[in-house]
Amino acid sequence: MVYTAMQEAATRTFYLCVARACGDEDPLLGAALRRIAKDETLHMAFCRDVVKAHLDKDPDYLRPLAAVMVRFEMPWSSSVLHDFEERRAYLATRGVFRLSDYLDEVVQPLWSYWGLDRRVSQSEETRKVHAQLRRYRAALRKFARGEARPAADVGALPAGL
């Protein structure tokens, strides 16, 4: 459910970014992409809510959540598209689905909704994983803020984005 919540949020964000990029040139395509994004939002909301229920019931659910979040990649990444990195870099340098979009529209909203900053566990292992998750988000922030460089140089981008 964590993976699917992230995947649906990332897909929604990608469609919205592309709609913004092409909306003036092709308004019908922009409208269709925004419509698809609405559908992705509904899928994401269901999975997001299931994850929150798990976290509310078991604070140690943070461990599997963190394992998924720090290794997240889209299913259509380089394992499927051999020129994926070139495509991703091309879009990112044109402001379409950059690392900052991923951070601001996928990671941070889920992080806030799941209340990850206020989650507390009695388990030492979970506390260590929580610290790792915070370091991951800090690294994303650092690289997202430095996006003036070509996207191909950004090494912390999750593999499938």
Side-chain angles (χ1 to χ4, degrees):
M1 290 310 239
V2 174
Y3 176 86
T4 305
M6 293 184 70
Q7 182 268 322
E8 297 290 348
T11 304
R12 174 200 62 202
T13 302
F14 176 78
Y15 288 138
L16 290 173
C17 288
V18 174
R20 278 192 302 270
C22 74
D24 290 340
E25 188 173 324
D26 192 335
L28 291 176
L29 177 58
L33 290 167
R34 282 188 292 282
R35 211 170 300 127
I36 294 168
K38 283 183 183 179
D39 187 56
E40 298 298 311
T41 301
L42 296 173
H43 302 160
M44 180 276 303
F46 172 77
C47 297
R48 177 198 65 192
D49 291 352
V50 170
V51 170
K52 185 174 185 312
H54 278 283
L55 284 166
D56 290 346
K57 183 176 177 150
D58 178 10
D60 293 329
Y61 186 71
L62 188 63
R63 290 194 309 251
L65 181 148
V68 172
M69 186 174 271
V70 301
R71 291 177 185 83
F72 177 77
E73 66 178 69
M74 293 296 286
W76 39 260
S77 62
S78 57
S79 61
V80 176
L81 296 172
H82 299 297
D83 62 345
F84 175 78
E85 282 304 315
E86 293 170 38
R87 291 174 186 227
R88 183 198 55 75
Y90 177 84
L91 291 172
T93 57
R94 283 149 184 83
V96 178
F97 201 67
R98 297 168 15 144
L99 182 58
S100 56
D101 296 317
Y102 174 70
L103 174 64
D104 296 342
E105 302 298 327
V106 178
V107 173
Q108 194 54 49
L110 290 173
W111 188 288
S112 296
Y113 188 82
W114 292 333
L116 298 184
D117 281 328
R118 69 178 191 286
R119 298 284 172 182
V120 178
S121 172
Q122 300 303 314
S123 163
E124 179 65 27
E125 184 180 346
T126 301
R127 287 195 302 273
K128 287 179 183 178
V129 167
H130 200 191
Q132 175 191 18
L133 197 55
R134 286 185 171 129
R135 286 190 301 274
Y136 169 76
R137 184 177 62 164
L140 285 177
R141 285 177 172 163
K142 177 182 176 184
F143 284 106
R145 301 306 173 241
E147 270 184 330
R149 299 172 294 169
D153 294 340
V154 179
L157 185 66
L161 299 178

